[in-house]
Amino acid sequence: MEHVETGHFPVLKKQVLFYINLKKGGVYIDATYGRGGHSACLLDSEKSISLYALDKDMEAVMAARERFRGIDNFKAIHSGFEDIDQVIEREGITRLDGVIFDIGFSSCQIKDGERGFSFQEEGPIDMRYDRSKPLTAWEIINRWDRNNLIWIFENYGEINKSRKLADAIIERRKAKKFESTLELAGFISEYYGYRKKIHPATKVFMALRIAVNDELEALRKGLDKAGKALSEKGRLVVISFHSLEDRIVKRYMKETPFMKIITKRPVSAEEEELDINPESRSAKLRAAEKNEE
Ligand SMILES: C[S@@+](CC[C@H](N)C(=O)[O-])C[C@H]1O[C@@H](n2cnc3c(N)ncnc32)[C@H](O)[C@@H]1O
């Protein structure tokens, strides 16, 4: 069982393989290596490809180098996919047959309390994919002003009554700063005063994570640059996990004149996959092909 070894269950593997449509001798980029589920799947399926794998998280890159040590047609690179153009230039990539994006965090990241992504694991309020960057969620929750908090709660968390929430956070941090994930999650639960089916901290943590990593802008840039860099008939395969991301993907594929959508509707996990990995329920895959003619 791959996820037992790597700590992450790759979603929609079969569908990724189908839509990426590997060509013999083709050149591919896995823009979000994670724990390499999709990379391994591509390399196992077609030995003649060259694969470059990016991740913003150095731990993921180290894991990639360890896992594929001695494999000449694979290279792991520490980079955000928003800078995919620079990677392509640096590596001298002149042909690009496909790029995969599997957006968000990996199971390894969410389960590791030290990374601060989870409201169920004790840890610092961090949430950076790239720990060499200065902005953390601690900084946002403890230091950002009211307007900025309201903005991210509304736009990244789609939270109702975000003004009141921002005010409550500001009142509380005057007395005592938020220091840990569980402390913050507990405060949010108490603030809402009841337990919904979905933990009330879900949206706040999502808003913070998106802001810390500037995720939506990174996705817009990544898609745009990857699309431009693809060779004719090159494929873009994107998996997203929430509507904010999916909207960006859908819009990019629809509105970019040289991209032709090949998934009429977003592709979701089949029952068989849902049984073994219920978290795949929210995954949506969209694919497009470059066609400049
Ligand atoms: C859902 S996981 C990918 C899982 C992977 N497909 C697998 O099968 O193991 C998403 C990964 O993307 C990385 N990531 C998030 N934003 C990124 C960005 N802007 N550029 C590159 N990697 C990013 C995260 O660090 C995380 O490791």
Side-chain angles (χ1 to χ4, degrees):
M1 294 289 266
E2 182 181 353
H3 70 288
V4 178
E5 288 161 33
T6 67
H8 180 84
F9 227 124
V11 297
L12 301 170
K13 235 164 67 168
K14 193 175 71 180
Q15 295 85 340
V16 166
L17 204 53
F18 176 77
Y19 284 105
I20 197 81
N21 190 26
L22 294 175
K23 293 188 183 120
K24 281 201 183 330
V27 179
Y28 296 87
I29 296 180
D30 178 351
T32 50
Y33 175 83
R35 278 302 181 269
H38 293 124
S39 281
C41 178
L42 301 196
L43 289 168
D44 287 348
S45 305
E46 181 50 66
K47 306 272 180 262
S48 67
I49 62 167
S50 298
L51 180 63
Y52 296 84
L54 318 184
D55 206 293
K56 228 172 177 169
D57 185 343
M58 196 57 203
E59 276 179 32
V61 176
M62 303 291 278
R65 290 182 183 153
E66 185 59 36
R67 182 170 182 181
F68 294 106
R69 192 198 301 262
I71 309 283
D72 292 340
N73 55 337
F74 174 85
K75 185 166 184 185
I77 297 162
H78 184 221
S79 170
F81 51 64
E82 57 276 25
D83 298 323
I84 197 169
D85 53 337
Q86 292 169 32
V87 172
I88 289 168
E89 199 184 318
R90 254 195 334 262
E91 296 299 324
I93 298 171
T94 51
R95 155 184 184 179
L96 186 57
D97 299 285
V99 184
I100 303 171
F101 292 79
D102 178 15
I103 311 299
F105 51 76
S106 68
S107 314
C108 305
Q109 290 164 329
I110 190 98
K111 280 184 209 142
D112 180 357
E114 277 307 303
R115 304 301 302 267
F117 286 104
S118 171
F119 52 79
Q120 289 170 325
E121 304 284 342
E122 178 69 324
I125 309 172
D126 190 321
M127 305 194 198
R128 289 170 297 172
Y129 292 129
D130 184 348
R131 291 207 264 188
S132 67
K133 296 277 191 285
L135 181 64
T136 64
W138 184 94
E139 185 75 20
I140 298 180
I141 206 75
N142 285 307
R143 298 232 170 102
W144 275 20
D145 67 19
R146 182 174 185 268
N147 285 344
N148 281 318
L149 284 180
I150 293 170
W151 196 89
I152 65 162
F153 290 158
E154 278 176 2
N155 292 286
Y156 296 162
E158 299 183 308
I159 296 170
N160 296 326
K161 301 188 184 156
S162 53
R163 277 157 213 276
K164 282 192 169 168
L165 177 63
D167 288 339
I169 286 171
I170 289 167
E171 245 346 271
R172 151 67 210 257
R173 76 191 191 190
K174 274 190 210 153
K176 185 179 176 297
K177 289 200 167 39
F178 295 97
E179 293 300 344
S180 84
T181 44
L182 291 189
E183 187 186 344
L184 177 59
F187 172 82
I188 297 163
S189 276
E190 252 173 58
Y191 169 78
Y192 283 104
Y194 62 99
R195 271 199 84 96
K196 300 180 188 174
K197 196 168 157 215
I198 295 174
H199 194 295
T202 309
K203 289 180 168 185
V204 175
F205 272 58
M206 182 170 97
L208 289 170
R209 201 198 80 212
I210 293 177
V212 167
N213 300 290
D214 199 9
E215 285 185 46
L216 303 184
E217 194 48 29
L219 181 58
R220 279 188 207 99
K221 284 188 184 153
L223 292 174
D224 178 54
K225 291 176 174 181
K228 284 184 178 138
L230 278 176
S231 303
E232 181 68 10
K233 300 254 179 281
R235 296 265 175 110
L236 207 54
V237 176
V238 189
I239 301 170
S240 64
F241 290 85
H242 58 76
S243 56
L244 293 174
E245 295 164 343
D246 186 53
R247 236 174 274 157
I248 292 172
V249 179
K250 186 174 164 188
R251 194 164 174 183
Y252 170 78
M253 290 185 176
K254 254 188 159 168
E255 294 180 1
T256 306
F258 55 80
M259 296 304 299
K260 194 179 108 221
I261 300 184
I262 47 180
T263 43
K264 273 199 193 120
R265 287 201 202 102
V267 178
S268 312
E270 292 167 3
E271 284 302 322
E272 200 186 344
E273 179 168 357
L274 291 171
D275 284 346
I276 48 171
N277 181 20
E279 278 151 31
S280 63
R281 186 169 299 280
S282 44
K284 280 185 179 170
L285 180 151
R286 293 185 190 267
E289 185 175 272
K290 186 157 178 177
N291 194 331
E292 284 185 301
E293 285 149 16

